[in-house]
Amino acid sequence: MQSENLSDTAWRFIHHFGEMGSRWGISRTVGQIYALVYISHVPLNADDITHLLSFSRSNVSMGLKELQSWRLLRSEFRPGDRREYFKAPDDVWEIFRTLADERRRREVVPTLSVLRECLLDPKVTPEDEHFHRRMQAMYDLISMSNEWFIDIQKLSAEDLTALMHLGAHAQKLLHAKNRLLSLTGLTKTNETDEAP
Amino acid sequence: MQSENLSDTAWRFIHHFGEMGSRWGISRTVGQIYALVYISHVPLNADDITHLLSFSRSNVSMGLKELQSWRLLRSEFRPGDRREYFKAPDDVWEIFRTLADERRRREVVPTLSVLRECLLDPKVTPEDEHFHRRMQAMYDLISMSNEWFIDIQKLSAEDLTALMHLGAHAQKLLHAKNRLLSLTGLTKTNETDEAP
DNA sequence: CATTAATTTCAAAAATCCTTGAAAGTTCGG
DNA sequence: CCGAACTTTCAAGGATTTTTGAAATTAATG
């Protein structure tokens, strides 16, 4: 299981994120590999990971490939060494943003397509009418969240942090804004919808 | 597979959410059951679901039990009928909020505990110092998101919608607020941290 | 309190997903 | 172009997770 070269703390961290990964659509192995690469103080090559986590070499190779497909790894080469060294981005925000964006592309966007198709189907029975309303409600919510995320992604870590700290107080701010806008005569700019 | 009593559209919807479910830590079956209950125009009992989706009766029973543990179902009884009839909440926002909150409790809170424990471990080597910084960065981000979500959950569907439409523009609003506050002399109220 | 209708449990079978080692592929220096 | 140093592919085997049917349980009714 655990290699001699990992501290108990590191192992606990890695192990936990392996478990979490397996609940989030990536395998245990891939979760552990990323946790290891994330905490490592130095970039790691595939063999390092093989030894530290005692997985088979091919398993590590596939895991790294998957992590790359999620755009979660940076890598570098060294003069006189053909092996690729991997590390995670320094900024945790960037990691979460990438992860969320990749899930958005892989899961949310296709879901919106399916819903859009379903919404175009003819409604013959009264039940169909009801299905339509239910699917429309779901489409609206997912579509809005999707647009919101794309929008929010542009913000810097600092601005995001500030907004999060604002939390539910933002609501008051919003009301204040609306009062202000009604004074200045400005109008809202954004309406959410996606091309079919 | 598909029962005679489900329209193609309904089936497509149900099937897709089964697939999505399996990528989100719930089984295909449970995803399909919820999709069916969600679009149904009338509350369904376990046998209805068994026939419509052609799963075994016990599979449906277990699926319903799991969905109840996620607090995603409403149920009712009818006079002269001993069977329990299930339906999903009318409001999609409520469904998403419940889902997110349940994941927060089941995954985010335990993750914060593990991280907190790891952060308390003694740091003996320079690597340990680095692990600590990395885990702290992750803890800070997750903890802040957790607090933010708890906070945001209080808002009504309307306020949430308004905030989402505001999206990245909120940033400007925030800056405007800061300028205003510096004039009025008010201070920020909320700091995020959770008791150990 | 026996009967019947409904639900739940549970261990085995089925299906899916993960891991591995062997073999094939790639890339570089000479 | 060869061989060394790595990496990737792939089919088989192993694990884990899902699904099922039979049996047990619960609850209401005459």
Side-chain angles (χ1 to χ4, degrees), chain A residues 9 12 16 24 38-39 41 89-90 103 107 111 117 121 127 130 134 151 159 165 168 171 190, chain B residues 9 12 16 23-24 38-39 41 89-90 103 107 111 117 121 127 130 134 151 159 165 168 171 190:
Chain A
T9 311
R12 201 135 37 98
H16 181 81
W24 276 78
Y38 174 78
I39 48 165
H41 61 122
D90 290 330
R103 287 193 87 106
E107 285 147 30
T111 297
E117 278 177 38
D121 285 350
E127 286 98 60
H130 187 265
R134 290 298 259 171
D151 215 29
D159 283 340
H165 276 132
Q171 180 204 14
N190 54 332
Chain B
T9 311
R12 202 134 38 98
H16 181 80
R23 294 198 190 182
W24 276 78
Y38 174 78
I39 47 165
H41 60 123
D90 290 329
R103 287 193 86 106
E107 285 148 30
T111 297
E117 279 177 39
D121 285 350
E127 287 97 60
H130 187 265
R134 290 298 260 170
D151 215 29
D159 283 340
H165 275 133
Q171 180 205 12
N190 54 332

Side-chain angles (χ1 to χ4, degrees), chain B residues 48-98:
Chain B
D48 294 336
I49 299 171
T50 303
H51 298 134
L52 287 166
L53 298 178
S54 351
F55 292 137
S56 74
R57 183 49 233 272
S58 51
N59 205 355
V60 170
S61 175
M62 284 174 135
L64 288 169
K65 224 184 102 194
E66 185 172 351
L67 286 169
Q68 282 182 308
S69 84
W70 286 82
R71 299 176 295 147
L72 287 170
L73 291 174
R74 302 288 113 92
S75 75
E76 61 185 45
F77 288 95
R78 293 170 184 187
D81 187 342
R82 288 214 254 120
R83 289 169 297 181
E84 192 167 6
Y85 287 79
F86 298 95
K87 60 176 188 167
D90 290 329
D91 179 9
V92 219
W93 270 111
E94 186 184 333
I95 295 173
F96 274 68
R97 212 184 273 174
T98 306

Side-chain angles (χ1 to χ4, degrees), chain A residues 4-20:
Chain A
E4 303 296 311
N5 304 309
L6 280 174
S7 72
D8 268 14
T9 311
W11 179 247
R12 201 135 37 98
F13 176 86
I14 289 167
H15 190 263
H16 181 81
F17 279 87
E19 292 307 310
M20 282 300 112

Side-chain angles (χ1 to χ4, degrees), chain A residues 24-36:
Chain A
W24 276 78
I26 64 168
S27 78
R28 208 151 309 201
T29 316
V30 174
Q32 292 193 11
I33 292 174
Y34 200 65
L36 172 61

